[in-house]
Amino acid sequence: MSVFRIKGVYRAKSKKIPFAKEIKALKETHAIENVLSLIGSKHKVPRKFIKITEIEQIQDEDITDPVLKSLTSELSRI
């Protein structure tokens, strides 16, 4: 499994709000789908108002999300 960092903006009311999410997924398309689903459900934003600007695959050392980092380090020890 790979870790992807996805950056973008979503529109809420009249503001553009930037976001950056780190997602563990098999493919880039799965990571995009997961981010769209998370932002849409958490902030009640339709998909057409979510714009992804950058997608990059990152190494385990570059992960900043503490939960994802601990999960990745636990899986590597097994």
Side-chain angles (χ1 to χ4, degrees), residues 10-17:
Y10 66 90
R11 195 172 81 193
K13 297 185 182 176
S14 62
K15 295 190 236 176
K16 288 186 177 179
I17 302 172

Side-chain angles (χ1 to χ4, degrees), residues 10-77:
Y10 66 90
R11 195 172 81 193
K13 297 185 182 176
S14 62
K15 295 190 236 176
K16 288 186 177 179
I17 302 172
F19 69 87
K21 296 281 186 188
E22 292 177 351
I23 302 291
K24 192 172 191 100
L26 288 173
K27 295 194 271 184
E28 187 176 297
T29 55
H30 294 160
I32 292 169
E33 181 65 29
N34 197 343
V35 166
L36 292 173
S37 177
L38 285 172
I39 292 174
S41 67
K42 186 174 182 180
H43 300 287
K44 305 296 186 228
V45 177
R47 289 177 180 232
K48 65 182 179 180
F49 296 138
I50 303 170
K51 182 177 181 187
I52 295 174
T53 57
E54 184 181 339
I55 302 167
E56 63 179 325
Q57 186 173 355
I58 59 175
Q59 300 297 322
D60 293 344
E61 301 84 34
D62 299 331
I63 298 172
T64 58
D65 182 16
V67 174
L68 189 58
K69 192 171 206 163
S70 68
L71 285 174
T72 306
S73 65
E74 286 179 17
L75 289 175
S76 65
R77 282 188 269 158

